[in-house]
Amino acid sequence: MTNTGHAPVRQLELPLGLTGGETGVGETGQVAPVNDEGLMERILARDNLRAALRQVQRNGGSPGIDGMTVEDLPGYLKGHWLEIREALLAGTYRPPPVKRVLIPKPGGGERPLGIPTVVDRFIQQAVLQVLQTDWDATFSEHSYGFRPQRSAHQAVACAQGYLREGYAWVVDLDLEKFFDRVNHDVLMSRVKRRVEDQRVLRLINRYLKAGVVIAGKRQPTVMGTPQGGPLSPLLANLLLDELDRELEHRGHRFARYADDCNIYVRSRQAGERVLGSVTRFLERRLKLVVNQTKSAVDRPWKRTFLGFTFTTRRPGRRKVSNQALRRFKDEIRRITRRSRGHSLLRTVADLKEYITGWKAYFGFSEVASPLRDLDKWVRRRLRCYQWKQWGRRGYRELRKRGVSRDLAWNTAKSAHGPWRLSQSPALVIALPAGYFAALGVPRLAD
């Protein structure tokens, strides 16, 4: 069994154990086909629960309203799982409310995040694994968000393919506060089309209506599916699958990643018609609100899709959006801020973690020039950072690194500030690109 670094999963073997007759698990370990009325038994099968626990441990995250951490979970389940399991099997389990926190949005502002207790993250993960297995194959091929073997990169490549086929206008749909405004009745009606087990239906409905705790006070949830729970993305895909099917029925070219949907057409006039008709469909059929301010019909290279945009010249190539470039610089400025008081090596370690993750996603860009510019800019930030840390030792440090006496003296006594000096010949000589590469600073443009 994989060691996740948290409390050992083997603690759960006894309380999670169910016999093969109870779960439909045969001697081969394969789950046999069972009637949907036994869906809860499939969710509570030993192997499914073990996999759910491993995933919750990998995901980590903050405690919910009860303060229990992921590390505490195995021990707690060892002592309490049997009563939780009995409540789930009887359909009487009632989840506590989620903890509401606000997290900053990349484009500014804040997004509410609902944090379930770790026990409920574990239960939701177990439910997700079974329902996603049952439902995923029925979803649209144009849906890419939060699905196995699918990614944002595939959605961007799909959009790029439409552009190259001559669909050079995009209907960029923005659903206003989608996760906060999901209509519970509409969503549950779609869940009931796929689930017969009343215990599972009650459990999902209770998760939707569990309420939130804000500043220590409980408030009811009359709409929305809280971001932060494992089930929310699957429920979002279930609801928006109806949009996908409608777009397919109309013959549209589109790509959707969660609530981010782009439809590609050949003219502005066609785009305006599509925007109007799709807006009416979403508002009347799914009770969702289209943000008219952020939604638009425009050229794809003037819009951003999942952090990317496209070049104007054919064939349109993928490039990192200006918004993503600005956010990258903002984070690098934060990491290299002198007031953090970290050594250059500690700062480089923080940079390495951030840049590596950023590159893993935005390295999908086909236009390398902005990435090369960012590489130069990062090195300049680091030269500025190091120069500030040297302080009065600047002259000696430059001389130790091979800078001539006159150039080192003129640089050390310069009236220019650190940012101006960060691109001076002396600092480029003393701290060349190879120096930062040796420290482990990743390059965005290979």
Side-chain angles (χ1 to χ4, degrees):
M1 186 173 295
T2 303
N3 184 358
T4 63
H6 299 289
V9 178
R10 64 174 177 272
Q11 290 182 335
L12 299 179
E13 289 182 359
L14 179 60
L16 294 189
L18 298 173
T19 68
E22 290 172 310
T23 63
V25 179
E27 293 180 358
T28 62
Q30 297 298 314
V31 178
V34 294
N35 187 286
D36 183 60
E37 292 181 356
L39 182 60
M40 183 62 81
E41 281 74 16
R42 290 174 56 201
I43 290 169
L44 299 179
R46 179 190 301 176
D47 289 346
N48 188 55
L49 293 174
R50 285 176 173 169
L53 178 63
R54 288 194 295 269
Q55 188 60 49
V56 169
Q57 289 178 317
R58 281 193 293 267
N59 292 342
S62 303
I65 62 169
D66 61 356
M68 187 187 303
T69 67
V70 171
E71 290 78 11
D72 297 332
L73 179 59
Y76 179 84
L77 291 178
K78 186 175 182 180
H80 297 83
W81 175 246
L82 289 180
E83 61 185 270
I84 295 172
R85 172 179 172 271
E86 289 304 315
L88 290 167
L89 287 170
T92 59
Y93 179 81
R94 292 187 177 275
V98 301
K99 182 170 69 175
R100 171 67 57 85
V101 297
L102 298 176
I103 58 174
K105 296 171 65 175
E110 294 179 315
R111 173 185 291 114
L113 184 70
I115 304 177
T117 65
V118 291
V119 171
D120 282 306
R121 296 211 292 271
F122 168 63
I123 296 171
Q124 285 193 36
Q125 180 65 36
V127 175
L128 167 68
Q129 290 167 179
V130 173
L131 294 186
Q132 190 162 57
T133 299
D134 291 349
W135 297 356
D136 191 74
T138 70
F139 289 156
S140 168
E141 63 177 306
H142 304 289
S143 167
Y144 295 92
F146 305 109
R147 297 181 60 190
Q149 311 304 318
R150 287 179 168 256
S151 68
H153 287 171
Q154 293 173 334
V156 174
C158 176
Q160 183 180 22
Y162 297 141
L163 178 60
R164 291 180 173 179
E165 290 173 11
Y167 294 86
W169 290 86
V170 62
V171 181
D172 189 353
L173 279 176
D174 184 275
L175 296 178
E176 189 170 324
K177 297 181 179 179
F178 169 74
F179 284 93
D180 296 329
R181 295 197 172 182
V182 168
N183 183 288
H184 290 172
D185 292 337
V186 173
L187 175 57
M188 286 306 301
S189 70
R190 274 59 180 178
V191 176
K192 288 175 183 176
R193 295 174 186 176
R194 295 171 179 256
V195 174
E196 295 180 4
D197 192 318
Q198 293 299 312
R199 298 165 300 178
V200 177
L201 289 173
R202 283 196 293 270
L203 180 63
I204 294 174
N205 192 51
R206 286 169 181 166
Y207 274 126
L208 293 175
K209 300 183 183 302
V212 298
V213 172
I214 304 175
K217 295 183 178 180
R218 178 171 181 168
Q219 297 183 9
T221 47
V222 296
M223 64 173 61
T225 173
Q227 292 176 270
L231 263 179
S232 290
L234 178 65
L235 296 177
N237 274 333
L238 174 64
L239 184 62
L240 291 175
D241 186 63
E242 196 157 337
L243 169 64
D244 298 341
R245 298 308 178 186
E246 179 67 17
L247 295 177
E248 289 175 350
H249 177 71
R250 299 182 185 186
H252 290 313
R253 275 76 175 170
F254 71 97
R256 182 178 66 80
Y257 189 95
D259 59 331
D260 201 342
C261 183
N262 278 4
I263 307 167
Y264 293 83
V265 295
R266 292 190 182 273
S267 68
R268 177 182 287 278
Q269 292 83 355
E272 296 291 353
R273 288 195 301 271
V274 170
L275 178 58
S277 63
V278 172
T279 296
R280 289 190 293 273
F281 173 83
L282 287 167
E283 293 180 347
R284 295 174 183 175
R285 188 73 170 270
L286 300 182
K287 309 300 181 185
L288 297 172
V289 178
V290 174
N291 188 322
Q292 298 296 335
T293 302
K294 295 183 179 180
S295 299
V297 177
D298 209 338
R299 295 292 195 178
W301 47 87
K302 294 182 179 180
R303 307 296 294 183
T304 296
F305 185 46
L306 302 174
F308 292 90
T309 187
F310 303 99
T311 59
T312 56
R313 293 183 180 180
R314 291 189 177 183
R317 293 192 298 160
R318 301 183 298 268
K319 62 181 292 188
V320 182
S321 70
N322 290 334
Q323 297 97 312
L325 295 175
R326 285 195 295 270
R327 289 197 292 269
F328 176 88
K329 286 190 170 185
D330 287 344
E331 182 62 15
I332 298 301
R333 289 189 185 98
R334 186 193 68 80
I335 294 173
T336 58
R337 194 169 55 236
R338 185 186 181 191
S339 60
R340 296 182 76 214
H342 294 162
S343 68
L344 181 64
L345 290 179
R346 167 68 184 277
T347 299
V348 166
D350 293 342
L351 280 176
K352 183 176 181 180
E353 180 179 359
Y354 176 71
I355 293 175
T356 300
W358 196 91
K359 181 180 179 180
Y361 184 77
F362 288 104
F364 190 57
S365 172
E366 296 174 314
V367 179
S369 53
L371 304 183
R372 286 194 290 268
D373 291 341
L374 286 181
D375 280 333
K376 295 176 183 177
W377 183 83
V378 168
R379 290 194 292 271
R380 187 178 176 188
R381 287 289 305 182
L382 288 172
R383 291 186 186 109
C384 179
Y385 190 86
Q386 183 66 91
W387 182 249
K388 289 177 181 178
Q389 287 208 328
W390 281 343
R392 294 182 179 181
R393 306 193 328 268
Y395 173 79
R396 295 194 302 273
E397 296 293 345
L398 291 176
R399 291 289 291 135
K400 284 196 300 186
R401 288 162 173 78
V403 180
S404 68
R405 180 176 296 148
D406 288 344
L407 184 56
W409 179 260
N410 290 336
T411 303
K413 296 302 179 182
S414 172
H416 294 308
W419 180 244
R420 177 80 173 269
L421 291 176
S422 63
Q423 60 180 355
S424 66
L427 281 173
V428 171
I429 293 171
L431 302 171
Y435 171 76
F436 296 114
L439 288 179
V441 178
R443 295 178 67 95
L444 296 171
D446 295 324

